[in-house]
Amino acid sequence: MRDTFLDYNRPDVTDREVEAVVEAVRSYWITRGPRVGRFEEALRAYMGQPNLVVVNSCTAALHLALVAAGIGPGDEVITTPLTFAASVNVILHVGATPVLADVHPDTGLIDVEAVRAAITSRTRAVIPVDYAGFAVDLDALTALCREHDLTLIEDAAHAIATRYKGRLIGSDPHFAAFSFYATKNLATGEGGALSCPTPALAEKVRLLSSHGMSKNAWNRYTEAGSWYYEIKEPGYKYNMTDLQAALGLVQLERLEKLQGRRTAIAEAFNQAFGPDPALTPPVTPPHVDPAWHIYPLRIRSEALTIDRNQFFEELKTRKIGCSVHFIPIHFHPYYHDRFGWPKGAFPHAEAYFREEISLPLYPGMSDADVADVIEAVRAVADAHRR
Ligand SMILES: *Cc1c(COP(=O)(O)O)cnc(C)c1O
C-alpha cells in the first residue's frame, strides 16, 4: 500500500503557467485585457470555430446561451439527471422549467429517445451533457432539435478535446459550453467559453457577458480607445481576466500532450478492470474519441458483498482519493421538493450513481500512482467477492 494519499485531482500547472501569470500581473492588466482576446483567438483556431466567446465559467456560458436564445418563463428545457447542478440552475435563472430525460444505462449519456419522449409544446431547448468527456449522440440530437425547432445547448464542461465522428466538440454550429474550472482538462482556475451557432449570436453573447456594454475596458482604456460606450441591453458581469487567460494560453498549448497522458492512464485502467466480473469500465460510445475527463468505474454490487460507499471508503483507507459523478439532480432536496420528482423516476441515472466511483485520472499521475490505483481497486474487489 502507498504511504502518501493520492489526490483525486490536481491541475497540471508548470513553471510556464506560473511565469505567464506573473507576467500578466506585472503588465497591470489584471482584469480583461489583451490575453483574454488572445486566448479566445487560440480557442477559435483550435476548434475551427470563429463564433466562440470566452467567459468566466461554464455556468455563465450556459446561462448566456439560454438568454441569447430568448428562453424564459413558460418554456421547458430538457436536461439529464446525471449532471452537476449548474446545468439545471441556469434553466431556473432564466425562469424556465427544467424537464429531465433519463440516461442510457451503459454510458450515462442522455438517451435521445428519452429526450424525444419528454418533448411537449412548451419545450424550447435541450441541454445534453458530455458526461466524463464522452460525446452525446450529436447527430441524433441535432436532427431531433431541428425537427422540433429546439435550441441545442451542449454542456461540454468535460469535453474540450473530445471528438465526435472526427469533429472536435465545439466545432459544430450549435451552442457548446466549456469549463476551465480548476479540476477540468484545461484549467484556468475559474473560466469558460461558449461556442455559438452564428456570428450574430456570438456578438449578442459577447455584449451580454459584459453588462451589455458596446465596448470593454481593453478598447476603452488603451491609447487607441475612446471613453464612450453604450448599454445595448442589461447584461451580466461574466468576463474572464488576463490572469486566467494567461494560464489558459499555456494550458491550450500543452493540451494535446496532457490529453495523451489521460488516454494512456484510462487505457491502463480499462485493461486492468475489463476482465474483472465485479467491475465495469466505462463504455465508449461508437464514433467518440473521449477526452477522459473522468474515469467512471462502476462496481457490480451483485458480485460483491459491499456497496459503492463502502468500496469508496476502502479505497480511501488505501490512500486513494476518489469522487462520485453525479448525485442525480432529483436526489437534491431543492429540486426534489420543487419539482416533485420521486426517487425511481430516472432509474438508469439512479443505477449509474449507485455503482459509480470516479478514480483519480490526471496527467500529473506517475506510472507508480496508476499502478497503485489498479492494485488498490483489485485488492478491495478481491477482499469482498461474493
Ligand atoms: C464543472 C461543470 C459545470 C460548471 O462549470 P463551471 O466552469 O464551474 O461553471 C457545468 N456542467 C458540468 C457537467 C460540470 O462538470
Side-chain angles (χ1 to χ4, degrees), residues 57-60 62 83-84 86-87 129 155 157-158 179-181 184 190-191 326:
S57 73
C58 179
T59 308
L62 291 167
T83 188
F84 182 58
S87 324
V129 174
D155 181 338
H158 300 180
S179 175
F180 308 131
Y181 182 68
K184 301 286 165 42
E190 302 283 356
F326 287 98

PDB file of all heavy atoms in Angstrom, residues 57-60 62 83-84 86-87 129 155 157-158 179-181 184 190-191 326, ligand 1:
ATOM      1  N   SER A  57     -17.001  31.334 -16.584  1.00  0.00           N
ATOM      2  CA  SER A  57     -17.322  29.971 -16.141  1.00  0.00           C
ATOM      3  C   SER A  57     -18.205  29.293 -17.176  1.00  0.00           C
ATOM      4  O   SER A  57     -18.788  29.952 -18.044  1.00  0.00           O
ATOM      5  CB  SER A  57     -18.048  29.964 -14.785  1.00  0.00           C
ATOM      6  OG  SER A  57     -19.380  30.424 -14.925  1.00  0.00           O
ATOM      7  N   CYS A  58     -18.304  27.992 -17.057  1.00  0.00           N
ATOM      8  CA  CYS A  58     -19.223  27.242 -17.917  1.00  0.00           C
ATOM      9  C   CYS A  58     -20.667  27.561 -17.532  1.00  0.00           C
ATOM     10  O   CYS A  58     -21.546  27.613 -18.385  1.00  0.00           O
ATOM     11  CB  CYS A  58     -18.942  25.742 -17.755  1.00  0.00           C
ATOM     12  SG  CYS A  58     -20.014  24.678 -18.716  1.00  0.00           S
ATOM     13  N   THR A  59     -20.883  27.791 -16.235  1.00  0.00           N
ATOM     14  CA  THR A  59     -22.225  28.147 -15.778  1.00  0.00           C
ATOM     15  C   THR A  59     -22.681  29.426 -16.471  1.00  0.00           C
ATOM     16  O   THR A  59     -23.813  29.509 -16.970  1.00  0.00           O
ATOM     17  CB  THR A  59     -22.222  28.343 -14.245  1.00  0.00           C
ATOM     18  OG1 THR A  59     -21.632  27.190 -13.637  1.00  0.00           O
ATOM     19  CG2 THR A  59     -23.624  28.551 -13.713  1.00  0.00           C
ATOM     20  N   ALA A  60     -21.785  30.435 -16.522  1.00  0.00           N
ATOM     21  CA  ALA A  60     -22.097  31.688 -17.216  1.00  0.00           C
ATOM     22  C   ALA A  60     -22.376  31.423 -18.692  1.00  0.00           C
ATOM     23  O   ALA A  60     -23.313  31.987 -19.271  1.00  0.00           O
ATOM     24  CB  ALA A  60     -20.931  32.674 -17.071  1.00  0.00           C
ATOM     25  N   LEU A  62     -23.522  28.670 -20.133  1.00  0.00           N
ATOM     26  CA  LEU A  62     -24.838  28.023 -20.285  1.00  0.00           C
ATOM     27  C   LEU A  62     -25.955  29.043 -20.102  1.00  0.00           C
ATOM     28  O   LEU A  62     -26.945  29.060 -20.850  1.00  0.00           O
ATOM     29  CB  LEU A  62     -24.984  26.891 -19.254  1.00  0.00           C
ATOM     30  CG  LEU A  62     -24.101  25.658 -19.444  1.00  0.00           C
ATOM     31  CD1 LEU A  62     -24.117  24.783 -18.181  1.00  0.00           C
ATOM     32  CD2 LEU A  62     -24.564  24.833 -20.656  1.00  0.00           C
ATOM     33  N   THR A  83     -25.929  14.983 -13.835  1.00  0.00           N
ATOM     34  CA  THR A  83     -25.106  16.163 -14.126  1.00  0.00           C
ATOM     35  C   THR A  83     -24.878  16.969 -12.869  1.00  0.00           C
ATOM     36  O   THR A  83     -25.441  16.688 -11.803  1.00  0.00           O
ATOM     37  CB  THR A  83     -25.751  17.050 -15.215  1.00  0.00           C
ATOM     38  OG1 THR A  83     -24.817  18.082 -15.593  1.00  0.00           O
ATOM     39  CG2 THR A  83     -27.041  17.692 -14.740  1.00  0.00           C
ATOM     40  N   PHE A  84     -24.042  17.989 -13.011  1.00  0.00           N
ATOM     41  CA  PHE A  84     -23.793  18.938 -11.939  1.00  0.00           C
ATOM     42  C   PHE A  84     -24.943  19.952 -11.904  1.00  0.00           C
ATOM     43  O   PHE A  84     -25.587  20.213 -12.931  1.00  0.00           O
ATOM     44  CB  PHE A  84     -22.453  19.640 -12.213  1.00  0.00           C
ATOM     45  CG  PHE A  84     -22.065  20.615 -11.155  1.00  0.00           C
ATOM     46  CD1 PHE A  84     -21.922  20.218  -9.829  1.00  0.00           C
ATOM     47  CD2 PHE A  84     -21.854  21.940 -11.477  1.00  0.00           C
ATOM     48  CE1 PHE A  84     -21.568  21.127  -8.853  1.00  0.00           C
ATOM     49  CE2 PHE A  84     -21.489  22.859 -10.506  1.00  0.00           C
ATOM     50  CZ  PHE A  84     -21.348  22.456  -9.193  1.00  0.00           C
ATOM     51  N   ALA A  86     -25.190  23.005 -12.035  1.00  0.00           N
ATOM     52  CA  ALA A  86     -25.141  24.162 -12.929  1.00  0.00           C
ATOM     53  C   ALA A  86     -26.060  23.993 -14.133  1.00  0.00           C
ATOM     54  O   ALA A  86     -26.726  24.941 -14.554  1.00  0.00           O
ATOM     55  CB  ALA A  86     -23.707  24.395 -13.412  1.00  0.00           C
ATOM     56  N   SER A  87     -26.099  22.776 -14.694  1.00  0.00           N
ATOM     57  CA  SER A  87     -26.905  22.541 -15.909  1.00  0.00           C
ATOM     58  C   SER A  87     -28.380  22.834 -15.651  1.00  0.00           C
ATOM     59  O   SER A  87     -29.108  23.173 -16.582  1.00  0.00           O
ATOM     60  CB  SER A  87     -26.769  21.092 -16.394  1.00  0.00           C
ATOM     61  OG  SER A  87     -25.488  20.574 -16.215  1.00  0.00           O
ATOM     62  N   VAL A 129     -25.344  16.610 -21.692  1.00  0.00           N
ATOM     63  CA  VAL A 129     -24.035  16.721 -21.040  1.00  0.00           C
ATOM     64  C   VAL A 129     -23.096  15.656 -21.603  1.00  0.00           C
ATOM     65  O   VAL A 129     -23.448  14.476 -21.645  1.00  0.00           O
ATOM     66  CB  VAL A 129     -24.175  16.541 -19.506  1.00  0.00           C
ATOM     67  CG1 VAL A 129     -22.803  16.514 -18.828  1.00  0.00           C
ATOM     68  CG2 VAL A 129     -25.039  17.641 -18.909  1.00  0.00           C
ATOM     69  N   ASP A 155     -23.720  20.946 -22.922  1.00  0.00           N
ATOM     70  CA  ASP A 155     -22.890  21.182 -21.740  1.00  0.00           C
ATOM     71  C   ASP A 155     -21.620  20.365 -21.948  1.00  0.00           C
ATOM     72  O   ASP A 155     -21.582  19.162 -21.678  1.00  0.00           O
ATOM     73  CB  ASP A 155     -23.627  20.765 -20.461  1.00  0.00           C
ATOM     74  CG  ASP A 155     -22.795  21.015 -19.200  1.00  0.00           C
ATOM     75  OD1 ASP A 155     -21.555  21.106 -19.314  1.00  0.00           O
ATOM     76  OD2 ASP A 155     -23.382  21.094 -18.106  1.00  0.00           O
ATOM     77  N   ALA A 157     -18.702  20.824 -20.522  1.00  0.00           N
ATOM     78  CA  ALA A 157     -17.752  21.121 -19.435  1.00  0.00           C
ATOM     79  C   ALA A 157     -16.633  20.087 -19.357  1.00  0.00           C
ATOM     80  O   ALA A 157     -15.514  20.399 -18.965  1.00  0.00           O
ATOM     81  CB  ALA A 157     -18.492  21.196 -18.094  1.00  0.00           C
ATOM     82  N   HIS A 158     -16.952  18.831 -19.732  1.00  0.00           N
ATOM     83  CA  HIS A 158     -15.964  17.749 -19.628  1.00  0.00           C
ATOM     84  C   HIS A 158     -15.270  17.473 -20.957  1.00  0.00           C
ATOM     85  O   HIS A 158     -14.476  16.540 -21.041  1.00  0.00           O
ATOM     86  CB  HIS A 158     -16.656  16.439 -19.207  1.00  0.00           C
ATOM     87  CG  HIS A 158     -17.352  16.514 -17.896  1.00  0.00           C
ATOM     88  ND1 HIS A 158     -18.028  15.449 -17.341  1.00  0.00           N
ATOM     89  CD2 HIS A 158     -17.478  17.528 -16.989  1.00  0.00           C
ATOM     90  CE1 HIS A 158     -18.548  15.796 -16.174  1.00  0.00           C
ATOM     91  NE2 HIS A 158     -18.241  17.050 -15.945  1.00  0.00           N
ATOM     92  N   SER A 179     -15.915  24.405 -19.679  1.00  0.00           N
ATOM     93  CA  SER A 179     -15.471  24.845 -18.356  1.00  0.00           C
ATOM     94  C   SER A 179     -13.955  24.753 -18.259  1.00  0.00           C
ATOM     95  O   SER A 179     -13.361  23.754 -18.666  1.00  0.00           O
ATOM     96  CB  SER A 179     -16.078  23.975 -17.260  1.00  0.00           C
ATOM     97  OG  SER A 179     -15.541  24.360 -15.999  1.00  0.00           O
ATOM     98  N   PHE A 180     -13.364  25.794 -17.689  1.00  0.00           N
ATOM     99  CA  PHE A 180     -11.925  25.768 -17.400  1.00  0.00           C
ATOM    100  C   PHE A 180     -11.710  25.859 -15.891  1.00  0.00           C
ATOM    101  O   PHE A 180     -10.716  26.400 -15.405  1.00  0.00           O
ATOM    102  CB  PHE A 180     -11.210  26.913 -18.146  1.00  0.00           C
ATOM    103  CG  PHE A 180     -11.529  26.944 -19.620  1.00  0.00           C
ATOM    104  CD1 PHE A 180     -11.923  28.127 -20.239  1.00  0.00           C
ATOM    105  CD2 PHE A 180     -11.471  25.786 -20.383  1.00  0.00           C
ATOM    106  CE1 PHE A 180     -12.231  28.160 -21.589  1.00  0.00           C
ATOM    107  CE2 PHE A 180     -11.786  25.805 -21.741  1.00  0.00           C
ATOM    108  CZ  PHE A 180     -12.168  26.996 -22.339  1.00  0.00           C
ATOM    109  N   TYR A 181     -12.677  25.341 -15.141  1.00  0.00           N
ATOM    110  CA  TYR A 181     -12.593  25.248 -13.678  1.00  0.00           C
ATOM    111  C   TYR A 181     -11.339  24.438 -13.302  1.00  0.00           C
ATOM    112  O   TYR A 181     -10.828  23.652 -14.117  1.00  0.00           O
ATOM    113  CB  TYR A 181     -13.873  24.566 -13.181  1.00  0.00           C
ATOM    114  CG  TYR A 181     -13.968  24.423 -11.686  1.00  0.00           C
ATOM    115  CD1 TYR A 181     -14.111  25.545 -10.872  1.00  0.00           C
ATOM    116  CD2 TYR A 181     -13.935  23.166 -11.083  1.00  0.00           C
ATOM    117  CE1 TYR A 181     -14.207  25.412  -9.499  1.00  0.00           C
ATOM    118  CE2 TYR A 181     -14.038  23.027  -9.715  1.00  0.00           C
ATOM    119  CZ  TYR A 181     -14.162  24.157  -8.918  1.00  0.00           C
ATOM    120  OH  TYR A 181     -14.257  24.017  -7.576  1.00  0.00           O
ATOM    121  N   LYS A 184     -10.932  20.787 -14.345  1.00  0.00           N
ATOM    122  CA  LYS A 184     -11.243  20.361 -15.711  1.00  0.00           C
ATOM    123  C   LYS A 184      -9.960  20.140 -16.533  1.00  0.00           C
ATOM    124  O   LYS A 184      -8.870  20.499 -16.101  1.00  0.00           O
ATOM    125  CB  LYS A 184     -12.180  21.387 -16.362  1.00  0.00           C
ATOM    126  CG  LYS A 184     -13.515  21.566 -15.580  1.00  0.00           C
ATOM    127  CD  LYS A 184     -14.446  20.405 -15.758  1.00  0.00           C
ATOM    128  CE  LYS A 184     -15.631  20.239 -14.833  1.00  0.00           C
ATOM    129  NZ  LYS A 184     -16.489  21.265 -14.386  1.00  0.00           N
ATOM    130  N   GLU A 190     -10.945  29.562 -12.562  1.00  0.00           N
ATOM    131  CA  GLU A 190     -12.329  29.723 -12.991  1.00  0.00           C
ATOM    132  C   GLU A 190     -12.270  30.174 -14.443  1.00  0.00           C
ATOM    133  O   GLU A 190     -11.411  30.977 -14.799  1.00  0.00           O
ATOM    134  CB  GLU A 190     -13.069  30.790 -12.165  1.00  0.00           C
ATOM    135  CG  GLU A 190     -13.105  30.554 -10.670  1.00  0.00           C
ATOM    136  CD  GLU A 190     -14.127  29.499 -10.245  1.00  0.00           C
ATOM    137  OE1 GLU A 190     -14.873  28.980 -11.102  1.00  0.00           O
ATOM    138  OE2 GLU A 190     -14.149  29.188  -9.038  1.00  0.00           O
ATOM    139  N   GLY A 191     -13.193  29.699 -15.259  1.00  0.00           N
ATOM    140  CA  GLY A 191     -13.194  30.141 -16.648  1.00  0.00           C
ATOM    141  C   GLY A 191     -14.125  29.298 -17.487  1.00  0.00           C
ATOM    142  O   GLY A 191     -14.509  28.192 -17.085  1.00  0.00           O
ATOM    143  N   PHE A 326     -22.652  11.589 -10.939  1.00  0.00           N
ATOM    144  CA  PHE A 326     -23.017  12.697 -10.078  1.00  0.00           C
ATOM    145  C   PHE A 326     -24.143  12.227  -9.164  1.00  0.00           C
ATOM    146  O   PHE A 326     -24.802  11.241  -9.485  1.00  0.00           O
ATOM    147  CB  PHE A 326     -23.581  13.866 -10.931  1.00  0.00           C
ATOM    148  CG  PHE A 326     -22.540  14.602 -11.721  1.00  0.00           C
ATOM    149  CD1 PHE A 326     -22.324  14.305 -13.056  1.00  0.00           C
ATOM    150  CD2 PHE A 326     -21.789  15.611 -11.132  1.00  0.00           C
ATOM    151  CE1 PHE A 326     -21.369  15.004 -13.795  1.00  0.00           C
ATOM    152  CE2 PHE A 326     -20.848  16.310 -11.878  1.00  0.00           C
ATOM    153  CZ  PHE A 326     -20.625  16.006 -13.190  1.00  0.00           C
TER     154      PHE A 326
HETATM  155  C1  LIG B   1     -17.937  21.731 -13.901  1.00  0.00           C
HETATM  156  C2  LIG B   1     -19.257  21.588 -14.570  1.00  0.00           C
HETATM  157  C3  LIG B   1     -20.058  22.697 -14.867  1.00  0.00           C
HETATM  158  C4  LIG B   1     -19.765  24.066 -14.350  1.00  0.00           C
HETATM  159  O1  LIG B   1     -18.564  24.573 -14.738  1.00  0.00           O
HETATM  160  P1  LIG B   1     -18.059  25.974 -14.111  1.00  0.00           P
HETATM  161  O2  LIG B   1     -16.996  26.419 -15.046  1.00  0.00           O
HETATM  162  O3  LIG B   1     -17.548  25.661 -12.733  1.00  0.00           O
HETATM  163  O4  LIG B   1     -19.219  26.900 -14.077  1.00  0.00           O
HETATM  164  C5  LIG B   1     -21.202  22.504 -15.612  1.00  0.00           C
HETATM  165  N1  LIG B   1     -21.575  21.279 -16.018  1.00  0.00           N
HETATM  166  C6  LIG B   1     -20.853  20.180 -15.722  1.00  0.00           C
HETATM  167  C7  LIG B   1     -21.309  18.847 -16.211  1.00  0.00           C
HETATM  168  C8  LIG B   1     -19.687  20.297 -14.962  1.00  0.00           C
HETATM  169  O5  LIG B   1     -18.993  19.206 -14.621  1.00  0.00           O
END
